[in-house]
Amino acid sequence: MSRIPDLVIAHGTVVNSSGRRNAHVVVRDGRIEQLIDAAEPVPAAARTIDAAGRLVIPGGVDGHCHVAQVTGRFRTLDDYRTTSTAALWGGTTTIIDFGIPRDAQETPLAAVLHKKELALESRCDVALHGSVVSWDETVPWQLEQLAAEGVRSVKMYTTNRGTTMADGDTILKVMREMVRLDGLTYIHAEHDPIITDCTQQHADDGRIGIEHLHRTRPELAEEISVKETLAMAEYTKAPVYFVHQSTPGAVDLVTEARARGQEAYSETCPHYLTLDDTVYGSVFPEWYACCPPMRSPETVAALKERLADGAIHTVSSDHSCYDLSQKRERTDDIRAMPHGLPGVETRMPVTFTAMASAGSSVEDFVEVFAAGPARINAVPGKGAVAEGFDADLVVFDPAEERVVDGGSLHMGTDFSPFDGRALTGWPAVVVSAGRVVLDGGGFHDPGAVGRFVARNGFREHLSSATASAAATLSAAK
């Protein structure tokens, strides 16, 4: 006689990006074994959670996190235990971090293997992106090794000269390799000559403190870089993914490229949907030091419209966990202070609040929070509440409102850029790999059980996902 299931989430409304149904979700051995119509009796289980009146959505996939990141003389204050715990508190059950070389001596392969070792402390599942700063004859072999490890994407920066910036020759050559290896090219797109010149002009005028950050990195710099990168991607036939797009013009360039048949994707972040450049005139402008900076209120409104229209494919946190003492060391000079915001824990409510205010559905939210990041990043078993998928689940209350208290969050820092804001849409229960890690009794630390997730090839995964969706639709008919 077979043993009973480990968990049943009963009477909930299961919401995927493709639609919703009332169902009992049956979990066994860390996977979703079955979805049973809610009109049927609740099967016996080792534990039953009543989700009546609430939604059951897939656990979030945050495709853009920086954990224990070293940039110059600064290191983020988190580790995998801290960041993965915060992710789970925020309904995210899979994070994708970056193996970025810390200096010229560290190779792309070594950077990823170092992060993979650190990730052994993670409480949730982890995947990785690689990163290339400069080209040499070993890079093709290193990218092959990364692909064999299940690391199927590489990030490059078009700015930050002298640290992480890759030149045009490197970007083009890496794109060719990623096509060969069925991978995805990630791009931080800001035009370095424009930013360097604009920043220097501000410095010459004595306007280089944090209150001037938004003026030193104009929207034009982002959009020109996106345009140039799309041209290289079109030339090499490389799929390309733009991180943290902050302007509607940048998103429109990707939309136009997709209309021409290019495989191109837009990501934005919660802060670009909700915060504008007036924050740099606030009492604490250092809370908002990030690149790109916050944009004008008009730009923020237009960006949110693009998200509501489906032109933005994912919303990621770009989590970077510095604290205020690090931020305040050099508020007088933006060139010398660390940039990046903590956000892995607040991604769910900030994104949902922004989308709900624009009239988006919960299905739309699930697409950018979980389904899209899993599909585009070729992460198997993630992004859907469906039979055979990992049991990464959130019992979600779209009506619950909380006021953010940055000091009571769990990200390893002492502030949140959303401190004091009322946000709706929070997790009531979080299940990671079949384990209940958050419920009404608080957080239940599962220990260092997070798995490293080897990702599939980009086109291979999309083809498989399309075929699976077609089969599901056929069965439903």
Side-chain angles (χ1 to χ4, degrees), residues 77-87 121 123 319 321 344 410-413:
L77 298 178
D78 58 344
D79 55 23
Y80 273 95
R81 176 175 181 165
T82 302
T83 298
S84 62
T85 297
E121 291 299 315
R123 272 55 183 163
H319 175 78
C321 190
V344 71
H410 308 86
M411 292 183 284
T413 185

Side-chain angles (χ1 to χ4, degrees), residues 371-391:
R375 184 177 61 254
I376 295 166
N377 287 291
V379 186
K382 309 292 185 181
V385 183
E387 292 177 5
F389 275 64
D390 291 347

